[in-house]
Amino acid sequence: MLAVRWILSFLFNVQMYLAMFILAVVFAPWALFSREGAFAACHSYCRWVIFTARIMLGLKVEVRGTPPTDEVVVAAKHQSFFDILVIFNAIPRGKFIMKRELIYAPFLGQYAMRIGCVFVDRGKRGAAIAKMKADVARSAADPGQLVIYPQGTRVAPGMIKPYKVGSGLLYEQLGQPCVPVATNIGVFWPKRGILRKPGTCVVDFLPRIEPGLPVGEFMKRLEHDIETTSNALLVEAGFTKARP
């Protein structure tokens, strides 16, 4: 059975990247002249991957809570590539804070720029934060949901990694509500490796944190809300090493 899962996971990965190439090419003329075309391409790709994950891997997706449709900051737990797709598929005009290296990724980088993603250099600390805030201010002209990962990278289930202040500074700068998002996707689709596991992965859009809190208080509440719910989802998924 494990060998079959490995084979199916490998085939799934192959078709997933092939689909990225095909859809990127098919939607290119529309995306070139209209940002709506870029959003349509990205949403189509997300739906395809979610569909094929269910068919090929037995990996189902459950979205809980209320995905935002207005201008908000979405601060999400990040465990794997799959949670990016599920979150983006659930909101109408998502744009991500992304590491700068991804701008050079074929197709992904070009479409990310087209939908208004903001690229940051994670190695320059203060300078990176200043540039991120400036880039976010410029991108505010295009309404949407700004998605940031407060821990700055993928974090495997059960691992502890501090929350960075960048999400708090954007919350303060934009004056918009923040929607925390918890997940257990890393149990089924790990940070590294090919093997994918069957089951039901959950992305949970939690109650909003309204604007106006001091940054320190906001960060404490954000971490509490995301980590508490994510750990509960890990336990629900059968992960035994989750923090209490």
Side-chain angles (χ1 to χ4, degrees):
M1 179 62 73
L2 184 59
V4 173
R5 286 185 186 173
W6 274 102
I7 293 170
L8 289 175
S9 296
F10 174 77
L11 293 175
F12 169 79
N13 283 354
V14 170
Q15 67 83 32
M16 180 178 71
Y17 290 110
L18 181 61
M20 180 184 291
F21 168 75
I22 293 172
L23 289 172
V25 171
V26 168
F27 279 90
W30 185 13
L32 183 63
F33 293 102
S34 170
R35 182 167 284 176
E36 295 305 319
F39 276 109
C42 295
H43 280 121
S44 295
Y45 178 68
C46 292
R47 289 193 294 270
W48 175 258
V49 176
I50 292 170
F51 170 73
T52 53
R54 177 168 56 86
I55 297 300
M56 298 181 67
L57 306 175
L59 181 55
K60 302 176 183 178
V61 169
E62 180 181 348
V63 176
R64 298 179 184 173
T66 304
T69 58
D70 53 336
E71 292 190 70
V72 298
V73 176
V74 175
K77 186 74 174 177
H78 188 21
Q79 295 179 342
S80 81
F81 177 62
F82 198 39
D83 58 58
I84 298 174
L85 305 185
V86 175
I87 290 172
F88 185 84
N89 188 60
I91 56 182
R93 294 185 69 84
K95 47 186 178 178
F96 291 80
I97 304 291
M98 301 173 66
K99 59 183 180 181
R100 180 161 296 278
E101 304 93 284
L102 291 176
I103 202 171
Y104 304 108
F107 309 116
L108 189 152
Q110 290 71 44
Y111 273 87
M113 285 191 292
R114 194 71 181 98
I115 65 175
C117 293
V118 175
F119 296 88
V120 297
D121 188 339
R122 295 187 300 180
K124 294 185 178 179
R125 298 181 181 272
I129 290 178
K131 187 175 186 308
M132 177 186 70
K133 292 177 69 176
D135 290 344
V136 166
R138 282 192 292 270
S139 73
D142 181 49
Q145 299 78 44
L146 182 66
V147 184
I148 186 170
Y149 295 110
Q151 292 170 294
T153 188
R154 292 172 296 175
V155 180
M159 290 190 65
I160 300 173
K161 189 172 180 64
Y163 279 51
K164 298 183 177 182
V165 73
S167 53
L169 296 177
L170 291 182
Y171 163 82
E172 179 183 54
Q173 172 186 338
L174 294 173
Q176 297 174 352
C178 175
V179 179
V181 180
T183 189
N184 62 7
I185 280 179
V187 174
F188 308 99
W189 185 312
K191 178 179 178 179
R192 295 186 178 88
I194 294 175
L195 184 64
R196 312 286 183 245
K197 301 176 183 178
T200 300
C201 54
V202 178
V203 165
D204 194 349
F205 289 85
L206 304 175
R208 297 178 176 217
I209 302 175
E210 296 298 331
L213 292 179
V215 171
E217 184 178 342
F218 165 79
M219 292 301 301
K220 289 180 181 178
R221 179 173 168 186
L222 180 69
E223 181 171 358
H224 173 270
D225 290 357
I226 292 177
E227 292 299 309
T228 300
T229 305
S230 291
N231 284 334
L233 293 176
L234 293 178
V235 173
E236 181 182 319
F239 186 75
T240 57
K241 295 182 181 180
R243 286 187 292 164

Coordinates of all heavy atoms in Angstrom, one line a residue, residues 84-143:
I84 N -1.2 27.2 0.4 CA -1.2 28.4 -0.4 C -2.4 28.3 -1.4 O -3.1 29.3 -1.6 CB 0.1 28.6 -1.2 CG1 1.3 28.8 -0.3 CG2 0.0 29.8 -2.2 CD1 2.6 28.8 -0.9
L85 N -2.5 27.2 -2.1 CA -3.5 27.0 -3.1 C -4.9 27.0 -2.5 O -5.8 27.6 -3.1 CB -3.3 25.7 -3.8 CG -1.9 25.5 -4.4 CD1 -1.9 24.2 -5.2 CD2 -1.5 26.6 -5.3
V86 N -5.1 26.4 -1.3 CA -6.4 26.3 -0.7 C -6.9 27.7 -0.3 O -8.0 28.1 -0.5 CB -6.4 25.3 0.5 CG1 -7.8 25.3 1.2 CG2 -6.1 23.9 0.0
I87 N -6.0 28.5 0.3 CA -6.3 29.8 0.8 C -6.6 30.7 -0.4 O -7.7 31.4 -0.4 CB -5.2 30.4 1.6 CG1 -5.1 29.7 3.0 CG2 -5.4 31.9 1.8 CD1 -3.9 30.0 3.8
F88 N -5.8 30.7 -1.4 CA -6.0 31.5 -2.6 C -7.3 31.1 -3.3 O -8.1 32.0 -3.8 CB -4.9 31.4 -3.6 CG -5.0 32.3 -4.8 CD1 -4.5 33.6 -4.7 CD2 -5.5 31.9 -6.0 CE1 -4.6 34.5 -5.8 CE2 -5.7 32.8 -7.0 CZ -5.2 34.1 -6.9
N89 N -7.6 29.9 -3.4 CA -8.9 29.4 -4.0 C -10.1 29.9 -3.2 O -11.2 30.1 -3.8 CB -8.9 27.9 -4.1 CG -10.1 27.4 -4.9 OD1 -10.2 27.7 -6.1 ND2 -10.9 26.6 -4.3
A90 N -10.0 30.1 -1.9 CA -11.1 30.5 -1.1 C -11.4 32.0 -1.1 O -12.5 32.4 -0.6 CB -10.9 30.0 0.3
I91 N -10.5 32.8 -1.6 CA -10.7 34.3 -1.6 C -10.7 34.8 -3.0 O -10.0 34.2 -3.9 CB -9.6 35.0 -0.7 CG1 -8.2 34.6 -1.1 CG2 -9.8 34.6 0.8 CD1 -7.1 35.3 -0.3
P92 N -11.3 35.9 -3.3 CA -11.5 36.4 -4.6 C -10.2 37.0 -5.2 O -9.9 36.8 -6.4 CB -12.6 37.3 -4.6 CG -12.7 37.8 -3.2 CD -12.2 36.7 -2.3
R93 N -9.5 37.8 -4.5 CA -8.4 38.6 -5.0 C -7.2 38.5 -4.1 O -6.7 39.6 -3.6 CB -8.8 40.0 -5.3 CG -9.8 40.1 -6.5 CD -10.1 41.5 -6.8 NE -9.0 42.2 -7.5 CZ -8.8 42.2 -8.8 NH1 -9.5 41.4 -9.6 NH2 -7.8 42.8 -9.3
G94 N -6.6 37.3 -3.8 CA -5.5 37.2 -2.9 C -4.2 37.7 -3.6 O -4.0 37.5 -4.8
K95 N -3.4 38.3 -2.8 CA -2.0 38.7 -3.2 C -1.1 38.5 -2.0 O -1.4 38.9 -0.9 CB -2.0 40.1 -3.7 CG -2.7 41.2 -2.8 CD -2.7 42.5 -3.4 CE -3.4 43.5 -2.5 NZ -3.4 44.9 -3.1
F96 N 0.0 37.8 -2.2 CA 0.8 37.3 -1.2 C 2.1 38.1 -0.9 O 2.6 38.7 -1.9 CB 1.3 35.8 -1.5 CG 0.1 34.8 -1.5 CD1 -0.7 34.7 -2.6 CD2 0.0 34.0 -0.4 CE1 -1.8 33.8 -2.5 CE2 -1.1 33.1 -0.4 CZ -1.9 33.0 -1.4
I97 N 2.5 38.1 0.3 CA 3.9 38.5 0.6 C 4.7 37.3 0.4 O 4.6 36.3 1.0 CB 4.0 39.0 2.1 CG1 3.0 40.1 2.4 CG2 5.4 39.4 2.4 CD1 3.3 41.4 1.7
M98 N 5.7 37.4 -0.6 CA 6.5 36.2 -1.0 C 8.0 36.5 -0.9 O 8.4 37.7 -1.1 CB 6.1 35.9 -2.4 CG 4.6 35.5 -2.7 SD 4.2 35.3 -4.4 CE 5.2 33.8 -4.8
K99 N 8.7 35.5 -0.7 CA 10.2 35.7 -0.8 C 10.6 36.0 -2.2 O 10.1 35.5 -3.2 CB 10.9 34.4 -0.2 CG 10.6 33.1 -0.9 CD 11.4 32.0 -0.2 CE 11.1 30.7 -1.0 NZ 11.8 29.6 -0.3
R100 N 11.6 36.9 -2.3 CA 12.0 37.4 -3.6 C 12.5 36.4 -4.5 O 12.4 36.5 -5.8 CB 13.1 38.5 -3.4 CG 13.6 39.1 -4.6 CD 14.3 40.4 -4.4 NE 13.4 41.4 -3.8 CZ 12.6 42.1 -4.6 NH1 12.5 42.0 -5.9 NH2 11.8 43.0 -4.0
E101 N 13.1 35.2 -4.1 CA 13.6 34.2 -5.0 C 12.6 33.7 -5.9 O 12.8 33.2 -7.0 CB 14.2 33.1 -4.2 CG 15.3 33.5 -3.2 CD 14.8 33.8 -1.8 OE1 14.2 34.8 -1.6 OE2 15.0 32.9 -0.9
L102 N 11.3 33.7 -5.4 CA 10.2 33.1 -6.2 C 9.9 33.9 -7.5 O 9.2 33.4 -8.3 CB 9.0 32.9 -5.3 CG 9.1 31.9 -4.2 CD1 7.8 31.8 -3.4 CD2 9.3 30.5 -4.8
I103 N 10.4 35.1 -7.5 CA 10.1 35.9 -8.7 C 10.7 35.3 -10.0 O 10.3 35.6 -11.1 CB 10.6 37.4 -8.5 CG1 9.8 38.4 -9.4 CG2 12.1 37.5 -8.7 CD1 10.1 39.8 -9.1
Y104 N 11.7 34.5 -9.7 CA 12.4 33.9 -10.9 C 11.9 32.5 -11.2 O 12.4 31.8 -12.1 CB 13.9 33.8 -10.6 CG 14.5 35.1 -10.2 CD1 14.9 35.4 -8.9 CD2 14.7 36.1 -11.2 CE1 15.5 36.7 -8.6 CE2 15.2 37.3 -10.9 CZ 15.6 37.6 -9.6 OH 16.2 38.8 -9.3
A105 N 10.9 32.0 -10.4 CA 10.3 30.7 -10.7 C 9.5 30.8 -12.0 O 8.6 31.7 -12.1 CB 9.5 30.2 -9.5
P106 N 9.7 29.9 -12.9 CA 9.0 29.9 -14.2 C 7.4 29.9 -13.9 O 7.0 29.1 -13.1 CB 9.4 28.7 -14.9 CG 10.8 28.3 -14.3 CD 10.7 28.8 -12.9
F107 N 6.7 30.8 -14.6 CA 5.3 30.9 -14.6 C 4.8 31.4 -13.2 O 4.1 32.4 -13.2 CB 4.6 29.6 -14.9 CG 5.1 29.0 -16.2 CD1 5.8 27.7 -16.2 CD2 4.9 29.6 -17.4 CE1 6.2 27.2 -17.3 CE2 5.4 29.0 -18.6 CZ 6.1 27.8 -18.5
L108 N 5.2 30.8 -12.1 CA 4.7 31.2 -10.8 C 5.1 32.6 -10.5 O 4.3 33.4 -10.1 CB 5.3 30.2 -9.8 CG 4.7 30.4 -8.3 CD1 4.9 29.0 -7.6 CD2 5.5 31.4 -7.5
G109 N 6.4 33.0 -10.8 CA 6.8 34.3 -10.5 C 6.1 35.4 -11.4 O 5.7 36.4 -10.9
Q110 N 5.9 35.1 -12.6 CA 5.3 36.0 -13.5 C 3.9 36.3 -13.2 O 3.4 37.4 -13.2 CB 5.4 35.5 -15.0 CG 6.8 35.6 -15.6 CD 7.8 34.5 -15.0 OE1 7.3 33.4 -14.8 NE2 9.0 34.9 -14.6
Y111 N 3.1 35.2 -12.9 CA 1.7 35.4 -12.5 C 1.6 36.0 -11.1 O 0.7 36.8 -10.9 CB 1.0 34.0 -12.6 CG 0.5 33.7 -13.9 CD1 1.3 33.1 -14.9 CD2 -0.8 34.0 -14.3 CE1 0.8 32.8 -16.2 CE2 -1.3 33.8 -15.6 CZ -0.5 33.1 -16.5 OH -1.0 32.9 -17.8
A112 N 2.5 35.7 -10.2 CA 2.5 36.4 -8.9 C 2.6 37.9 -9.0 O 1.9 38.6 -8.4 CB 3.6 35.8 -8.0
M113 N 3.5 38.3 -9.9 CA 3.7 39.8 -10.1 C 2.4 40.3 -10.7 O 2.0 41.4 -10.4 CB 4.9 40.0 -11.1 CG 6.2 39.8 -10.4 SD 7.6 40.4 -11.5 CE 7.5 39.3 -12.8
R114 N 1.8 39.6 -11.6 CA 0.6 40.1 -12.4 C -0.6 40.3 -11.4 O -1.3 41.3 -11.6 CB 0.2 39.2 -13.5 CG -0.7 39.8 -14.5 CD 0.0 40.8 -15.3 NE -0.9 41.4 -16.3 CZ -1.5 42.6 -16.1 NH1 -1.3 43.3 -15.0 NH2 -2.3 43.1 -17.0
I115 N -0.7 39.5 -10.4 CA -1.8 39.6 -9.5 C -1.5 40.6 -8.3 O -2.4 40.8 -7.5 CB -2.3 38.3 -8.9 CG1 -1.3 37.6 -8.1 CG2 -2.8 37.4 -10.1 CD1 -1.8 36.3 -7.4
G116 N -0.3 41.1 -8.3 CA 0.0 42.1 -7.3 C 0.7 41.6 -6.0 O 0.7 42.3 -5.0
C117 N 1.3 40.4 -6.1 CA 2.1 39.9 -4.9 C 3.3 40.9 -4.6 O 3.8 41.5 -5.5 CB 2.6 38.5 -5.2 SG 1.3 37.3 -5.3
V118 N 3.7 40.9 -3.4 CA 4.8 41.7 -2.9 C 5.9 40.8 -2.6 O 5.8 39.9 -1.8 CB 4.4 42.6 -1.7 CG1 5.5 43.3 -1.1 CG2 3.2 43.5 -2.1
F119 N 7.1 41.1 -3.1 CA 8.3 40.2 -2.9 C 9.2 40.9 -1.9 O 9.5 42.1 -2.0 CB 9.0 40.0 -4.3 CG 8.2 39.2 -5.3 CD1 7.3 39.9 -6.1 CD2 8.3 37.9 -5.3 CE1 6.5 39.2 -7.0 CE2 7.5 37.1 -6.2 CZ 6.6 37.8 -7.1
V120 N 9.7 40.1 -1.0 CA 10.6 40.6 0.1 C 11.9 39.8 0.1 O 11.9 38.7 -0.2 CB 9.9 40.6 1.4 CG1 8.7 41.5 1.4 CG2 9.5 39.2 1.8
D121 N 12.9 40.5 0.5 CA 14.2 39.9 0.7 C 14.4 39.6 2.2 O 14.6 40.5 3.0 CB 15.4 40.9 0.3 CG 16.7 40.2 0.3 OD1 16.9 39.2 1.0 OD2 17.6 40.7 -0.4
R122 N 14.2 38.3 2.5 CA 14.2 38.0 3.9 C 15.5 38.1 4.7 O 15.6 38.1 5.9 CB 13.7 36.5 4.1 CG 12.3 36.3 3.6 CD 11.8 34.9 3.9 NE 12.6 33.9 3.2 CZ 12.4 32.5 3.3 NH1 11.4 32.1 4.1 NH2 13.2 31.7 2.7
G123 N 16.6 38.3 4.0 CA 17.9 38.4 4.6 C 18.3 39.8 5.1 O 19.4 39.9 5.7
K124 N 17.5 40.8 4.8 CA 18.0 42.2 5.0 C 17.2 42.8 6.2 O 17.4 44.0 6.4 CB 17.9 43.0 3.8 CG 18.8 42.6 2.7 CD 18.8 43.5 1.5 CE 19.7 43.0 0.4 NZ 19.7 43.9 -0.8
R125 N 16.4 42.1 6.9 CA 15.8 42.5 8.1 C 15.1 43.9 8.0 O 14.1 44.1 7.3 CB 16.7 42.5 9.3 CG 17.2 41.0 9.6 CD 18.1 41.0 10.7 NE 18.6 39.6 10.9 CZ 18.0 38.7 11.6 NH1 16.8 39.0 12.2 NH2 18.5 37.5 11.8
G126 N 15.7 44.9 8.6 CA 15.1 46.3 8.7 C 14.8 46.8 7.3 O 13.8 47.4 7.1
A127 N 15.8 46.7 6.4 CA 15.6 47.2 5.1 C 14.5 46.5 4.4 O 13.7 47.1 3.6 CB 16.9 47.1 4.3
A128 N 14.4 45.2 4.6 CA 13.4 44.4 3.9 C 12.0 44.8 4.4 O 11.0 44.9 3.6 CB 13.6 42.9 4.2
I129 N 11.9 45.1 5.7 CA 10.6 45.5 6.3 C 10.2 46.9 5.7 O 9.0 47.1 5.3 CB 10.6 45.6 7.8 CG1 10.7 44.2 8.4 CG2 9.4 46.3 8.4 CD1 10.8 44.1 9.9
A130 N 11.1 47.8 5.6 CA 10.8 49.1 5.0 C 10.4 49.0 3.6 O 9.4 49.7 3.2 CB 12.1 50.0 5.2
K131 N 11.1 48.2 2.8 CA 10.7 48.0 1.4 C 9.4 47.3 1.3 O 8.5 47.7 0.4 CB 11.8 47.2 0.7 CG 11.5 47.2 -0.9 CD 12.6 46.5 -1.6 CE 12.4 46.6 -3.1 NZ 11.1 46.2 -3.5
M132 N 9.1 46.3 2.1 CA 7.8 45.6 2.1 C 6.7 46.6 2.4 O 5.7 46.6 1.7 CB 7.8 44.5 3.2 CG 6.5 43.8 3.2 SD 6.4 42.6 4.6 CE 6.4 43.7 6.0
K133 N 6.8 47.5 3.4 CA 5.8 48.4 3.7 C 5.6 49.4 2.5 O 4.4 49.7 2.2 CB 6.2 49.2 5.0 CG 6.2 48.4 6.2 CD 6.6 49.1 7.4 CE 5.6 50.2 7.9 NZ 6.0 50.9 9.1
A134 N 6.6 49.8 1.9 CA 6.5 50.7 0.7 C 5.8 50.0 -0.4 O 4.9 50.6 -1.1 CB 7.9 51.2 0.3
D135 N 6.2 48.8 -0.7 CA 5.6 48.0 -1.8 C 4.1 47.7 -1.5 O 3.3 47.8 -2.5 CB 6.3 46.7 -2.0 CG 7.7 46.9 -2.6 OD1 8.0 48.0 -3.1 OD2 8.5 46.0 -2.6
V136 N 3.8 47.4 -0.3 CA 2.4 47.2 0.1 C 1.6 48.5 -0.1 O 0.4 48.4 -0.6 CB 2.3 46.7 1.5 CG1 0.9 46.8 2.0 CG2 2.8 45.3 1.6
A137 N 2.1 49.6 0.2 CA 1.4 50.9 0.1 C 1.1 51.1 -1.4 O 0.0 51.6 -1.8 CB 2.3 52.0 0.6
R138 N 2.1 50.8 -2.3 CA 1.9 51.0 -3.7 C 0.8 50.0 -4.2 O 0.0 50.3 -5.1 CB 3.2 50.8 -4.5 CG 4.1 52.0 -4.4 CD 5.3 51.9 -5.4 NE 6.2 50.8 -5.0 CZ 7.2 50.9 -4.3 NH1 7.5 52.1 -3.7 NH2 8.0 49.9 -4.0
S139 N 0.8 48.8 -3.7 CA -0.2 47.8 -4.2 C -1.6 48.0 -3.7 O -2.5 47.4 -4.1 CB 0.3 46.4 -3.8 OG 0.1 46.1 -2.4
A140 N -1.7 48.9 -2.7 CA -3.0 49.2 -2.1 C -4.0 49.7 -3.2 O -5.2 49.7 -2.9 CB -2.9 50.1 -1.0
A141 N -3.5 50.2 -4.3 CA -4.4 50.8 -5.3 C -5.3 49.7 -5.9 O -6.3 49.9 -6.5 CB -3.6 51.5 -6.4
D142 N -4.8 48.4 -5.8 CA -5.5 47.3 -6.4 C -6.2 46.5 -5.2 O -5.5 45.9 -4.5 CB -4.6 46.3 -7.1 CG -5.4 45.2 -7.7 OD1 -6.4 45.4 -8.4 OD2 -4.9 44.0 -7.5
P143 N -7.5 46.7 -5.0 CA -8.1 46.1 -3.8 C -8.0 44.6 -3.8 O -7.9 43.9 -4.9 CB -9.6 46.4 -4.0 CG -9.6 47.6 -5.0 CD -8.4 47.4 -5.9

